[in-house]
């Protein structure tokens, strides 16, 4: 599962990457401090591993020749399963910056991609009411501070849910000697009940829909979706 950080330049994407993955990525308060894509492994929840990528920061009215130059860098965004649009909520031009990022995302072919807005730098807001306005405009956005770590646990939870997909209750029939099935369900889901009969075992478990394919590779048959 590929997650990509996008956003206006200096929105705090690299700081967020560092905070989530201990990546030790270079961070500086200037335009285009990040010019290449950096990808790190991130474990937002038990049994969930994602590839988290940082990208070059966007700017308003980015010239077409620069868009073309950055396209190789921005391929991570085009191919991502989820985009995290990092927003600097402390900036006076935050709404214009959001609009600029949306425009560039359209230009590089990301229209229709799943996007989760991450309202960053909530610890640095100086204007009363600015965060309230953004939360009203983007009610599904998450509020974080990449610098202090505030809100990062909730961000990890939401990304893990997106990665797993909606949970289903299923029943798997296997043999007692087949430990791979039980290990998979323990790692990626939650075992609810187990029933033993002779050499067979029935396991009821909750598992994300996106992980059913991995289970079926181990046990192509005898999987029943209960709910």
């Amino acid at each position: 599962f590929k997650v990509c950080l996008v956003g206006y330049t200096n929105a705090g994407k690299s700081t967020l990457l560092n905070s989530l993955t201990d990546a030790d990525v270079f961070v500086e308060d200037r335009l285009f401090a990040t010019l290449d894509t950096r990808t790190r492994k991130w474990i937002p929840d038990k049994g969930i591993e994602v590839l988290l990528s940082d990208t070059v920061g966007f700017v308003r009215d980015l010239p077409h020749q620069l868009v073309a130059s950055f396209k190789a860098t921005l391929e991570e965004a085009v191919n991502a399963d989820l985009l995290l649009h990092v927003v600097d909520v402390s900036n006076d031009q935050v709404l214009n910056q959001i609009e600029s990022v949306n425009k560039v995302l359209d230009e590089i072919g990301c229209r229709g991609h799943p996007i989760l807005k991450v309202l960053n730098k909530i610890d640095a807001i100086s204007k009363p009411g600015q965060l309230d306005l953004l939360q009203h405009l983007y009610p599904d956005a998450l509020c974080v501070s990449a610098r202090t770590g505030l809100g990062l646990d909730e961000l990890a939870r939401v990304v893990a849910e997106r990665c797993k997909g909606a949970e289903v209750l299923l029943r798997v029939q296997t043999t007692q000697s087949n430990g791979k099935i039980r290990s998979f369900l323990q790692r990626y889901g939650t075992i609810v009940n187990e029933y033993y009969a002779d050499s067979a075992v029935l396991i009821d478990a909750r598992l994300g829909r996106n992980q059913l394919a991995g289970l079926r590779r181990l046990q192509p048959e005898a999987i029943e979706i209960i709910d």
Side-chain angles (χ1 to χ4, degrees):
F1 194 83
K2 298 177 182 177
V3 179
C4 190
L5 302 171
V6 297
Y8 207 82
T9 189
N10 206 31
K13 299 185 303 301
S14 296
T15 301
L16 185 57
L17 180 70
N18 286 341
S19 297
L20 295 175
T21 67
D22 298 322
D24 196 25
V25 168
F26 173 73
V27 176
E28 188 174 353
D29 185 7
R30 64 177 175 85
L31 293 178
F32 303 133
T34 299
L35 286 172
D36 60 343
T37 300
R38 297 175 174 87
T39 301
R40 299 291 186 272
K41 184 170 73 172
W42 176 32
I43 303 176
D45 196 8
K46 178 195 76 170
I48 302 297
E49 293 183 0
V50 304
L51 294 178
L52 182 64
S53 299
D54 189 14
T55 58
V56 63
F58 300 171
V59 295
R60 191 175 185 182
D61 299 325
L62 188 65
H64 287 289
Q65 61 269 27
L66 280 181
V67 171
S69 299
F70 290 152
K71 269 199 172 179
T73 301
L74 297 172
E75 280 182 1
E76 293 292 338
V78 177
N79 296 321
D81 298 294
L82 175 65
L83 300 178
L84 299 183
H85 179 176
V86 184
V87 177
D88 177 4
V89 296
S90 68
N91 193 289
D92 291 339
Q93 299 298 314
V94 58
L95 293 178
N96 289 332
Q97 292 182 355
I98 290 173
E99 181 183 348
S100 298
V101 170
N102 291 339
K103 182 179 178 182
V104 174
L105 287 175
D106 284 347
E107 287 184 25
I108 64 174
C110 288
R111 183 188 295 272
H113 273 45
I115 298 177
L116 177 63
K117 279 192 170 51
V118 180
L119 305 181
N120 188 31
K121 303 188 182 182
I122 60 174
D123 57 311
I125 295 178
S126 57
K127 281 189 175 182
Q130 183 152 307
L131 184 58
D132 291 338
L133 172 62
L134 291 168
Q135 288 181 301
H136 176 73
L137 293 173
Y138 308 105
D140 295 329
L142 298 178
C143 298
V144 307
S145 168
R147 187 181 66 84
T148 67
L150 187 65
L152 297 189
D153 287 345
E154 177 66 7
L155 173 61
R157 185 191 67 79
V158 172
V159 170
E161 283 187 356
R162 295 286 187 99
C163 179
K164 290 187 293 187
E167 274 195 342
V168 295
L169 179 63
L170 55 84
R171 176 168 293 170
V172 183
Q173 180 176 336
T174 185
T175 61
Q176 293 187 31
S177 61
N178 188 351
K180 291 183 179 180
I181 299 297
R182 195 175 191 282
S183 295
F184 183 94
L185 294 172
Q186 282 183 318
R187 182 178 183 186
Y188 296 106
T190 303
I191 294 177
V192 179
N193 281 307
E194 295 181 69
Y195 311 93
Y196 295 89
D198 298 327
S199 61
V201 57
L202 294 176
I203 304 175
D204 291 348
R206 293 196 177 277
L207 188 71
R209 283 190 178 276
N210 293 342
Q211 292 161 317
L212 285 173
L215 179 61
R216 287 195 170 104
R217 282 194 290 270
L218 296 174
Q219 182 82 9
E221 300 176 355
I223 298 176
E224 176 188 359
I225 305 296
I226 301 174
D227 183 16

